[in-house]
Amino acid sequence: MIKVIGIKFRQGGKLYYFDPLDFEVKSGDNVIVETARGVEFGTASGDIKLVEDSEVVQPLKPIIRIADENDKKAHAETLKRHDEAMRVCEEKIAKRGLEMKLIDVEYTFDNSKVIFYFTADGRVDFRELVKDLASAFRMRIELRQIGVRDETKMMGGIGPCGRELCCHSWLDDFETVSIKMAKVQNLSLNPTKISGICGRLMCCLQYENDTYIALKKGMPDVGEYVMTPDGRAVVDDVNILQSKVKTRLVLDEASEGKPEKLSSEYYLYDKDEITRDPKKRAAKHQDQAPKNKNKEEEASAAELAALED
Protein backbone atom coordinates (compact mmCIF):
# COMPACT_ATOMS: atom_id res chain seq x y z
CA MET A 1 0.00 0.00 0.00
CA ILE A 2 1.14 3.53 -0.72
CA LYS A 3 -0.02 6.90 0.64
CA VAL A 4 -1.40 9.24 -2.03
CA ILE A 5 -3.50 12.35 -2.54
CA GLY A 6 -5.76 12.71 -5.59
CA ILE A 7 -5.36 15.99 -7.50
CA LYS A 8 -7.45 17.48 -10.31
CA PHE A 9 -6.41 20.41 -12.47
CA ARG A 10 -9.79 21.39 -13.91
CA GLN A 11 -13.51 20.84 -13.43
CA GLY A 12 -14.35 17.35 -14.65
CA GLY A 13 -10.70 16.63 -15.30
CA LYS A 14 -8.88 13.36 -14.74
CA LEU A 15 -7.68 12.43 -11.26
CA TYR A 16 -3.92 12.13 -10.73
CA TYR A 17 -2.15 10.72 -7.70
CA PHE A 18 0.73 12.53 -5.97
CA ASP A 19 2.86 11.88 -2.92
CA PRO A 20 1.59 14.14 -0.10
CA LEU A 21 4.92 13.88 1.79
CA ASP A 22 4.39 15.42 5.23
CA PHE A 23 1.86 18.03 4.09
CA GLU A 24 -1.53 17.99 5.81
CA VAL A 25 -3.60 18.16 2.64
CA LYS A 26 -7.39 17.96 2.89
CA SER A 27 -10.12 17.73 0.26
CA GLY A 28 -10.57 21.09 -1.51
CA ASP A 29 -7.07 22.38 -0.69
CA ASN A 30 -5.13 24.00 -3.52
CA VAL A 31 -1.62 22.68 -4.10
CA ILE A 32 1.35 23.27 -6.37
CA VAL A 33 2.74 20.16 -8.07
CA GLU A 34 5.16 19.31 -10.85
CA THR A 35 3.76 17.41 -13.82
CA ALA A 36 4.98 16.34 -17.24
CA ARG A 37 3.62 19.66 -18.53
CA GLY A 38 5.45 21.71 -15.91
CA VAL A 39 4.49 23.25 -12.57
CA GLU A 40 0.71 23.18 -12.12
CA PHE A 41 -1.93 24.56 -9.75
CA GLY A 42 -4.35 21.81 -8.67
CA THR A 43 -7.08 20.98 -6.17
CA ALA A 44 -7.24 17.98 -3.85
CA SER A 45 -10.35 15.94 -4.72
CA GLY A 46 -10.27 13.98 -1.49
CA ASP A 47 -8.26 13.37 1.65
CA ILE A 48 -4.99 11.46 1.86
CA LYS A 49 -5.54 7.71 1.50
CA LEU A 50 -3.79 4.39 0.98
CA VAL A 51 -4.06 2.59 -2.37
CA GLU A 52 -2.56 -0.54 -3.88
CA ASP A 53 0.85 -0.09 -5.52
CA SER A 54 -0.64 -1.36 -8.80
CA GLU A 55 -2.99 1.66 -8.93
CA VAL A 56 -0.11 4.13 -9.01
CA VAL A 57 2.15 5.02 -11.93
CA GLN A 58 5.68 5.09 -10.59
CA PRO A 59 7.63 7.16 -9.84
CA LEU A 60 5.01 9.05 -7.80
CA LYS A 61 5.73 12.78 -7.95
CA PRO A 62 5.51 14.74 -4.67
CA ILE A 63 3.51 17.85 -3.85
CA ILE A 64 5.77 20.92 -3.96
CA ARG A 65 3.72 22.95 -1.50
CA ILE A 66 0.25 23.90 -0.40
CA ALA A 67 -0.81 26.93 -2.42
CA ASP A 68 -0.55 30.25 -0.58
CA GLU A 69 -2.34 33.52 -1.36
CA ASN A 70 0.29 34.56 -3.91
CA ASP A 71 -0.16 31.27 -5.75
CA LYS A 72 -3.94 31.71 -5.79
CA LYS A 73 -3.61 35.26 -7.13
CA ALA A 74 -1.20 34.10 -9.85
CA HIS A 75 -3.63 31.34 -10.83
CA ALA A 76 -6.52 33.81 -10.98
CA GLU A 77 -4.47 36.10 -13.26
CA THR A 78 -3.75 33.15 -15.55
CA LEU A 79 -7.46 32.38 -15.85
CA LYS A 80 -8.18 35.98 -16.85
CA ARG A 81 -6.01 35.51 -19.95
CA HIS A 82 -8.21 32.66 -21.19
CA ASP A 83 -10.68 34.67 -23.29
CA GLU A 84 -7.98 36.73 -24.99
CA ALA A 85 -6.01 33.59 -25.86
CA MET A 86 -9.14 32.01 -27.34
CA ARG A 87 -9.80 35.12 -29.45
CA VAL A 88 -6.26 35.29 -30.80
CA CYS A 89 -6.15 31.59 -31.66
CA GLU A 90 -9.53 31.68 -33.42
CA GLU A 91 -8.32 34.62 -35.52
CA LYS A 92 -5.19 32.69 -36.53
CA ILE A 93 -7.24 29.59 -37.40
CA ALA A 94 -9.58 31.65 -39.58
CA LYS A 95 -6.65 33.37 -41.28
CA ARG A 96 -5.12 30.01 -42.19
CA GLY A 97 -8.49 28.59 -43.24
CA LEU A 98 -8.04 25.46 -41.15
CA GLU A 99 -10.94 23.02 -40.70
CA MET A 100 -10.75 22.81 -36.92
CA LYS A 101 -12.87 23.94 -33.98
CA LEU A 102 -11.14 25.51 -30.99
CA ILE A 103 -12.56 24.15 -27.73
CA ASP A 104 -10.45 25.49 -24.88
CA VAL A 105 -7.10 26.87 -23.85
CA GLU A 106 -4.94 26.33 -20.78
CA TYR A 107 -1.84 28.06 -19.44
CA THR A 108 0.53 26.12 -17.23
CA PHE A 109 0.91 27.70 -13.80
CA ASP A 110 4.52 28.69 -14.46
CA ASN A 111 3.51 30.30 -17.80
CA SER A 112 6.00 28.12 -19.67
CA LYS A 113 3.42 26.69 -22.05
CA VAL A 114 -0.04 27.37 -23.45
CA ILE A 115 -2.17 24.42 -24.60
CA PHE A 116 -4.96 24.72 -27.16
CA TYR A 117 -7.59 21.97 -27.42
CA PHE A 118 -9.47 21.49 -30.67
CA THR A 119 -11.67 19.05 -32.57
CA ALA A 120 -11.55 18.20 -36.26
CA ASP A 121 -12.99 15.57 -38.58
CA GLY A 122 -9.55 14.35 -39.60
CA ARG A 123 -5.88 15.19 -39.30
CA VAL A 124 -4.97 18.85 -39.51
CA ASP A 125 -1.63 20.28 -40.60
CA PHE A 126 -1.24 23.03 -38.02
CA ARG A 127 2.52 23.57 -38.25
CA GLU A 128 2.15 27.10 -39.60
CA LEU A 129 -0.52 27.84 -36.98
CA VAL A 130 1.93 26.85 -34.22
CA LYS A 131 4.45 29.33 -35.61
CA ASP A 132 1.80 32.07 -35.64
CA LEU A 133 0.81 31.34 -32.04
CA ALA A 134 4.41 31.13 -30.83
CA SER A 135 5.04 34.56 -32.34
CA ALA A 136 1.89 35.98 -30.67
CA PHE A 137 2.33 34.45 -27.19
CA ARG A 138 6.13 34.07 -27.08
CA MET A 139 6.03 30.80 -25.15
CA ARG A 140 5.86 27.10 -25.91
CA ILE A 141 2.72 26.14 -27.85
CA GLU A 142 0.92 22.80 -27.79
CA LEU A 143 -2.11 21.98 -29.93
CA ARG A 144 -4.00 18.90 -28.81
CA GLN A 145 -6.76 17.26 -30.85
CA ILE A 146 -9.54 15.74 -28.74
CA GLY A 147 -12.71 13.73 -29.41
CA VAL A 148 -16.33 14.80 -29.07
CA ARG A 149 -16.70 13.08 -25.68
CA ASP A 150 -13.70 15.01 -24.35
CA GLU A 151 -15.14 18.22 -25.80
CA THR A 152 -18.38 17.71 -23.89
CA LYS A 153 -16.47 16.81 -20.73
CA MET A 154 -14.61 20.12 -20.94
CA MET A 155 -17.57 22.32 -21.86
CA GLY A 156 -20.16 20.76 -19.51
CA GLY A 157 -23.92 21.11 -19.75
CA ILE A 158 -27.21 19.61 -18.63
CA GLY A 159 -28.13 16.05 -19.59
CA PRO A 160 -31.56 14.66 -20.57
CA CYS A 161 -32.06 13.77 -16.89
CA GLY A 162 -31.96 17.46 -15.96
CA ARG A 163 -28.72 17.14 -13.99
CA GLU A 164 -25.21 18.36 -14.73
CA LEU A 165 -23.35 16.05 -17.09
CA CYS A 166 -21.63 13.17 -15.26
CA CYS A 167 -18.48 13.49 -17.36
CA HIS A 168 -18.08 17.13 -16.37
CA SER A 169 -19.10 16.90 -12.71
CA TRP A 170 -17.58 13.69 -11.36
CA LEU A 171 -16.76 11.00 -13.96
CA ASP A 172 -12.97 10.78 -14.17
CA ASP A 173 -12.58 8.40 -17.11
CA PHE A 174 -14.84 7.25 -19.93
CA GLU A 175 -15.83 3.60 -19.96
CA THR A 176 -16.89 1.54 -22.95
CA VAL A 177 -20.61 1.84 -23.75
CA SER A 178 -22.25 -0.37 -26.39
CA ILE A 179 -25.59 -0.80 -28.14
CA LYS A 180 -25.81 -4.20 -26.45
CA MET A 181 -26.24 -2.44 -23.11
CA ALA A 182 -29.31 -0.60 -24.40
CA LYS A 183 -30.73 -3.89 -25.70
CA VAL A 184 -30.14 -5.68 -22.38
CA GLN A 185 -32.02 -2.89 -20.58
CA ASN A 186 -34.90 -3.10 -23.07
CA LEU A 187 -34.44 0.53 -24.06
CA SER A 188 -35.52 2.24 -27.23
CA LEU A 189 -32.94 1.94 -29.99
CA ASN A 190 -33.80 5.38 -31.29
CA PRO A 191 -30.43 7.22 -31.47
CA THR A 192 -31.99 10.46 -30.19
CA LYS A 193 -33.10 8.70 -27.00
CA ILE A 194 -29.93 6.83 -26.05
CA SER A 195 -27.26 9.32 -27.10
CA GLY A 196 -25.92 12.17 -25.00
CA ILE A 197 -25.01 15.76 -25.83
CA CYS A 198 -21.73 14.53 -27.30
CA GLY A 199 -23.60 12.46 -29.89
CA ARG A 200 -22.29 9.18 -28.47
CA LEU A 201 -24.12 6.63 -26.33
CA MET A 202 -24.96 7.98 -22.87
CA CYS A 203 -22.42 6.99 -20.23
CA CYS A 204 -25.22 6.14 -17.79
CA LEU A 205 -26.13 3.08 -19.90
CA GLN A 206 -23.12 1.44 -18.29
CA TYR A 207 -24.07 2.19 -14.68
CA GLU A 208 -26.81 -0.44 -14.30
CA ASN A 209 -25.70 -2.85 -17.00
CA ASP A 210 -24.28 -5.46 -14.60
CA THR A 211 -27.50 -5.41 -12.57
CA TYR A 212 -29.63 -5.93 -15.67
CA ILE A 213 -27.42 -8.81 -16.83
CA ALA A 214 -27.78 -10.49 -13.42
CA LEU A 215 -31.56 -9.98 -13.35
CA LYS A 216 -31.98 -11.22 -16.91
CA LYS A 217 -30.43 -14.61 -16.15
CA GLY A 218 -33.11 -17.25 -16.47
CA MET A 219 -35.60 -14.87 -18.08
CA PRO A 220 -37.11 -16.08 -21.38
CA ASP A 221 -37.14 -14.11 -24.62
CA VAL A 222 -40.27 -12.70 -26.20
CA GLY A 223 -41.83 -15.37 -28.42
CA GLU A 224 -40.28 -18.23 -26.47
CA TYR A 225 -42.35 -21.18 -25.19
CA VAL A 226 -42.47 -21.70 -21.40
CA MET A 227 -44.26 -24.06 -19.04
CA THR A 228 -46.50 -22.32 -16.51
CA PRO A 229 -48.74 -23.55 -13.65
CA ASP A 230 -51.62 -23.22 -16.15
CA GLY A 231 -49.93 -25.04 -19.01
CA ARG A 232 -47.75 -24.30 -22.00
CA ALA A 233 -47.57 -20.66 -23.04
CA VAL A 234 -45.85 -18.19 -25.32
CA VAL A 235 -43.99 -15.22 -23.82
CA ASP A 236 -45.53 -11.93 -24.89
CA ASP A 237 -43.44 -9.54 -22.76
CA VAL A 238 -40.93 -9.57 -19.90
CA ASN A 239 -40.33 -7.14 -17.04
CA ILE A 240 -36.72 -7.62 -15.99
CA LEU A 241 -36.84 -5.35 -12.93
CA GLN A 242 -39.91 -7.07 -11.48
CA SER A 243 -38.91 -10.55 -12.74
CA LYS A 244 -42.38 -10.88 -14.30
CA VAL A 245 -43.29 -12.75 -17.48
CA LYS A 246 -46.41 -11.90 -19.48
CA THR A 247 -47.74 -14.80 -21.53
CA ARG A 248 -50.58 -16.20 -23.63
CA LEU A 249 -51.54 -19.81 -23.03
CA VAL A 250 -51.40 -22.35 -25.85
CA LEU A 251 -54.99 -23.64 -26.14
CA ASP A 252 -54.42 -25.86 -29.19
CA GLU A 253 -51.10 -27.07 -30.54
CA ALA A 254 -50.34 -26.48 -34.18
CA SER A 255 -50.78 -29.46 -36.45
CA GLU A 256 -50.76 -30.12 -40.17
CA GLY A 257 -53.24 -27.74 -41.74
CA LYS A 258 -54.22 -26.33 -38.37
CA PRO A 259 -52.61 -23.24 -36.83
CA GLU A 260 -51.74 -22.89 -33.18
CA LYS A 261 -54.43 -21.27 -31.04
CA LEU A 262 -53.48 -18.92 -28.21
CA SER A 263 -55.61 -17.50 -25.42
CA SER A 264 -56.95 -14.00 -25.88
CA GLU A 265 -56.23 -13.29 -22.20
CA TYR A 266 -52.77 -12.55 -20.86
CA TYR A 267 -51.29 -14.37 -17.85
CA LEU A 268 -48.63 -12.88 -15.61
CA TYR A 269 -46.12 -15.08 -13.75
CA ASP A 270 -43.06 -14.65 -11.58
CA LYS A 271 -39.81 -15.92 -13.10
CA ASP A 272 -39.69 -18.72 -10.50
CA GLU A 273 -43.15 -19.94 -11.57
CA ILE A 274 -42.17 -20.81 -15.13
CA THR A 275 -39.92 -23.37 -16.78
CA ARG A 276 -38.27 -22.59 -20.08
CA ASP A 277 -39.24 -24.94 -22.89
CA PRO A 278 -36.26 -26.65 -24.57
CA LYS A 279 -38.03 -26.23 -27.92
CA LYS A 280 -37.46 -22.50 -27.56
CA ARG A 281 -39.39 -20.59 -30.23
CA ALA A 282 -41.84 -22.08 -32.68
CA ALA A 283 -41.61 -21.08 -36.34
CA LYS A 284 -44.72 -18.99 -35.90
CA HIS A 285 -43.02 -16.85 -33.26
CA GLN A 286 -39.52 -16.63 -34.70
CA ASP A 287 -40.13 -13.18 -36.11
CA GLN A 288 -42.18 -11.91 -33.20
CA ALA A 289 -40.62 -8.64 -32.09
CA PRO A 290 -40.41 -7.34 -28.53
CA LYS A 291 -43.20 -4.95 -27.59
CA ASN A 292 -40.84 -2.00 -27.30
CA LYS A 293 -40.09 -2.12 -31.02
CA ASN A 294 -41.83 0.43 -33.24
CA LYS A 295 -41.21 2.46 -36.36
CA GLU A 296 -39.55 5.21 -34.35
CA GLU A 297 -36.85 2.75 -33.29
CA GLU A 298 -36.06 1.31 -36.73
CA ALA A 299 -32.72 3.12 -37.04
CA SER A 300 -30.13 1.72 -39.41
CA ALA A 301 -27.33 -0.46 -38.04
CA ALA A 302 -24.77 2.05 -39.32
CA GLU A 303 -26.46 4.93 -37.49
CA LEU A 304 -26.52 2.99 -34.21
CA ALA A 305 -22.92 1.84 -34.63
CA ALA A 306 -21.85 5.47 -35.05
CA LEU A 307 -23.01 6.14 -31.49
CA GLU A 308 -20.38 3.81 -30.09
CA ASP A 309 -17.05 5.43 -29.40
Side-chain angles (χ1 to χ4, degrees):
M1 301 292 282
I2 186 170
K3 185 172 67 171
V4 300
I5 182 72
I7 303 296
K8 287 188 176 184
F9 299 103
R10 61 185 303 151
Q11 173 73 23
K14 188 175 180 180
L15 181 72
Y16 296 91
Y17 286 138
F18 288 85
D19 185 347
L21 298 179
D22 295 325
F23 293 109
E24 295 293 332
V25 186
K26 300 183 296 297
S27 179
D29 286 350
N30 297 125
V31 296
I32 305 299
V33 296
E34 184 176 357
T35 70
R37 302 193 314 184
V39 177
E40 295 276 25
F41 181 97
T43 303
S45 64
D47 296 328
I48 296 172
K49 62 180 181 179
L50 293 173
V51 300
E52 297 290 342
D53 291 9
S54 59
E55 296 183 37
V56 177
V57 177
Q58 298 287 0
L60 193 63
K61 292 188 177 182
I63 286 178
I64 297 176
R65 64 180 180 274
I66 295 178
D68 57 23
E69 288 304 315
N70 290 331
D71 292 326
K72 293 177 182 179
K73 288 180 180 178
H75 179 63
E77 288 299 320
T78 299
L79 295 178
K80 290 179 181 179
R81 299 159 63 189
H82 172 277
D83 292 345
E84 177 63 16
M86 288 283 289
R87 184 190 64 77
V88 171
C89 186
E90 286 174 340
E91 286 180 356
K92 302 296 183 184
I93 290 173
K95 182 179 179 181
R96 292 287 177 183
L98 298 175
E99 295 294 327
M100 55 192 292
K101 176 185 176 183
L102 184 63
I103 302 301
D104 203 4
V105 60
E106 277 184 342
Y107 284 90
T108 56
F109 180 73
D110 57 3
N111 289 312
S112 63
K113 182 195 294 185
V114 58
I115 306 167
F116 296 92
Y117 298 92
F118 72 94
T119 58
D121 291 335
R123 297 188 64 179
V124 179
D125 184 356
F126 48 70
R127 287 174 293 183
E128 294 303 317
L129 175 62
V130 170
K131 294 178 182 178
D132 293 342
L133 295 174
S135 175
F137 293 95
R138 300 195 177 280
M139 62 176 64
R140 291 171 57 199
I141 302 295
E142 180 179 337
L143 269 76
R144 186 175 300 176
Q145 186 170 356
I146 60 176
V148 290
R149 295 180 83 187
D150 294 300
E151 175 188 356
T152 304
K153 184 178 180 69
M154 283 186 175
M155 303 301 292
I158 303 298
C161 59
R163 298 174 64 90
E164 186 178 9
L165 295 177
C166 297
C167 60
H168 183 72
S169 58
W170 63 270
L171 192 64
D172 293 333
D173 294 305
F174 293 113
E175 296 191 30
T176 301
V177 186
S178 67
I179 291 294
K180 185 178 179 180
M181 293 179 180
K183 293 179 179 178
V184 167
Q185 297 172 46
N186 225 20
L187 297 175
S188 163
L189 295 185
N190 184 339
T192 62
K193 293 185 177 181
I194 57 176
S195 57
I197 292 177
C198 61
R200 298 293 187 266
L201 290 173
M202 292 188 293
C203 293
C204 53
L205 292 179
Q206 197 271 342
Y207 300 164
E208 298 176 350
N209 189 60
D210 291 343
T211 299
Y212 272 91
I213 290 175
L215 292 175
K216 197 171 183 180
K217 287 183 179 179
M219 293 288 282
D221 296 321
V222 171
E224 185 176 334
Y225 284 127
V226 294
M227 294 303 298
T228 75
D230 299 303
R232 197 158 181 260
V234 176
V235 176
D236 185 79
D237 198 9
V238 294
N239 188 315
I240 297 175
L241 295 179
Q242 295 182 356
S243 293
K244 298 284 187 181
V245 181
K246 184 181 179 182
T247 69
R248 295 174 68 185
L249 295 178
V250 178
L251 301 180
D252 287 316
E253 297 285 350
S255 60
E256 190 173 338
K258 181 182 177 182
E260 181 182 67
K261 183 178 179 181
L262 301 179
S263 65
S264 58
E265 299 84 8
Y266 293 97
Y267 294 79
L268 196 63
Y269 302 97
D270 290 331
K271 181 175 70 173
D272 297 336
E273 294 181 288
I274 65 167
T275 303
R276 301 180 72 175
D277 193 314
K279 292 183 180 180
K280 298 292 182 181
R281 297 169 183 243
K284 178 180 178 180
H285 304 289
Q286 284 289 340
D287 298 327
Q288 185 172 345
K291 290 297 182 181
N292 69 329
K293 297 286 185 179
N294 52 52
K295 291 182 179 179
E296 185 185 58
E297 297 166 342
E298 293 175 355
S300 67
E303 187 175 7
L304 289 172
L307 299 179
E308 297 181 331
D309 197 8

